[in-house]
Amino acid sequence: MIIFKSINKLKKKVNIKANVGFVPTMGSLHKGHIALIKKSKQKCNKTLVSIFVNPSQFNKSADYIKYPRNLNKDLKILKKLKVDYVLVPSIKDIYKTKEQMKIKIKNEDKILCSKFRPGHFEGVLGVISVFLKNIKAKYMFLGNKDFQQIFLIKKYLGNKFGTKIINCKTIRFKNLLAYSSRNNLLSKKNIKNGILISGIIKKFHKQISRNFSKIKEIENIKYKISGICSRVEYLEIRNKNNLKTNINKNNFKIFVAYYFGTVRLIDNF
Ligand code: AMP
């Protein structure tokens, strides 16, 4: 496993024509990340994982500061998985390149997380554009847990850099809670309530699939969830193909963002 601390060093060493699979992460690796890495290893000759807590995608600096970081543990995990390349760039390294595309999110996309975290996706698209421009990976593996993120990366970056995006399913604990680096910031009680919330939404999804008129219950469900977390930021049902509100029983997806104290969690079912 070769660890690169700068994109330039990586560019010199890695043959960009090789069949490289890229897994961008912010570290504090868990089974969700590991599933993406395993997918890449199956599909590609070489796998590159980046670990970069990208300041420009945090709309609150306190959230950036407290974001969990475990670099040594992460490197051990990656070594065990026999990952070929790891990129751990500095903030300076990413931002000095001036290669970031200044992408403005259109008003029509200011929904869900984009509505509540102004600047977040501009930050995500900016850093992903620097990575893809330089790495020219054949595939990039992303998790459906961040469903809107995949949607916007596909919409705004598309095939500009010749990298194909592979959506990977959300990995959950048996109790349905999705793996997330932010789970490290939760108390046992919060975790228990997070499990309850996942169960409520999953059940709601099942009910709607059986009887579509159940979507009317959404405000009740939101109220129920509000009672077991600090605050529900949004609970919305949207079309999984275009994230619009033209839904039917075959295309709907439930999206949620909620808080325990200052810790914000998202999921979709
Ligand atoms: P992050 O480190 O949170 O920025 O996530 C890096 C990548 O891992 C993103 O593509 C996420 O969607 C993906 N990811 C995070 N959690 C999960 C999960 N529970 N299951 C599958 N993919 C995940």
Side-chain angles (χ1 to χ4, degrees):
M1 184 170 94
I2 312 178
I3 302 168
F4 297 98
K5 296 211 165 140
S6 87
I7 290 197
N8 273 339
K9 284 189 186 142
L10 176 119
K11 268 165 79 176
K12 277 185 202 142
K13 264 269 166 71
V14 177
N15 173 8
I16 56 167
K17 293 209 179 72
N19 172 8
V20 177
F22 174 45
V23 183
T25 82
M26 297 207 295
S28 277
L29 301 179
H30 51 64
K31 286 194 177 162
H33 299 117
I34 292 172
L36 306 186
I37 293 166
K38 287 190 171 159
K39 266 265 158 64
S40 171
K41 284 181 64 81
Q42 271 168 18
K43 207 171 164 69
C44 305
N45 295 340
K46 299 281 182 191
T47 289
L48 163 68
V49 177
S50 66
I51 299 177
F52 181 61
V53 185
N54 175 29
S56 74
Q57 72 186 67
F58 287 82
N59 52 322
K60 290 183 185 145
S61 63
D63 188 27
Y64 170 69
I65 290 162
K66 71 164 196 271
Y67 194 83
R69 292 160 171 88
N70 288 297
L71 185 60
N72 287 338
K73 194 173 158 209
D74 289 347
L75 292 176
K76 278 188 195 141
I77 293 172
L78 296 176
K79 201 163 174 196
K80 213 167 152 198
L81 288 167
K82 297 197 168 67
V83 163
D84 302 279
Y85 312 118
V86 184
L87 174 63
V88 192
S90 64
I91 295 176
K92 228 170 106 192
D93 187 50
I94 293 294
Y95 291 101
K96 78 171 179 222
T97 61
K98 294 205 169 37
E99 281 167 348
Q100 273 196 79
M101 292 170 55
K102 291 269 178 285
I103 296 160
K104 267 195 89 64
I105 300 285
K106 294 180 187 161
N107 278 342
E108 68 190 35
D109 292 317
K110 290 189 177 157
I111 55 167
L112 304 172
C113 289
S114 176
K115 177 173 167 191
F116 291 98
R117 297 186 76 190
H120 167 66
F121 286 116
E122 277 91 349
V124 171
L125 293 171
V127 75
I128 293 290
S129 66
V130 174
F131 283 145
L132 293 187
K133 187 168 180 183
N134 286 286
I135 294 161
K136 302 218 161 40
K138 191 158 181 189
Y139 297 101
M140 175 163 69
F141 297 83
L142 300 172
N144 275 341
K145 174 160 176 297
D146 298 271
F147 198 86
Q148 189 180 18
Q149 171 168 281
I150 303 189
F151 177 81
L152 294 176
I153 289 175
K154 282 186 175 166
K155 176 165 175 175
Y156 287 85
L157 301 183
N159 205 18
K160 231 171 228 144
F161 304 101
T163 300
K164 190 165 187 284
I165 291 160
I166 311 282
N167 297 43
C168 303
K169 70 170 189 192
T170 301
I171 306 298
R172 300 176 181 281
F173 291 93
K174 279 206 186 82
N175 57 33
L176 290 181
L177 184 70
Y179 281 90
S180 164
S181 305
R182 291 179 194 270
N183 291 350
N184 289 317
L185 302 171
L186 299 178
S187 67
K188 279 196 179 133
K189 190 171 170 226
N190 293 158
I191 295 268
K192 269 195 183 156
N193 286 333
I195 294 166
L196 285 179
I197 291 172
S198 306
I200 291 170
I201 302 176
K202 169 95 180 180
K203 189 171 158 204
F204 186 39
H205 187 283
K206 210 167 166 183
Q207 286 171 338
I208 300 172
S209 306
R210 286 196 186 134
N211 174 2
F212 194 64
S213 71
K214 287 274 178 194
I215 56 162
K216 292 195 300 260
E217 309 261 312
I218 189 153
E219 285 307 316
N220 292 340
I221 300 290
K222 192 170 170 186
Y223 181 72
K224 204 167 164 183
I225 296 172
S226 306
I228 44 179
C229 65
S230 310
R231 178 163 73 87
V232 178
E233 189 170 69
Y234 63 75
L235 178 72
E236 288 192 41
I237 307 178
R238 287 184 175 262
N239 183 323
K240 63 183 171 195
N241 301 312
N242 55 21
L243 296 189
K244 295 199 188 316
T245 47
N246 58 328
I247 43 170
N248 64 44
K249 143 168 165 317
N250 301 312
N251 68 17
F252 79 95
K253 210 174 208 340
I254 307 175
F255 295 87
V256 68
Y258 60 94
Y259 280 87
F260 287 119
T262 56
V263 183
R264 181 179 183 275
L265 299 174
I266 57 166
D267 206 347
N268 60 81
F269 285 84

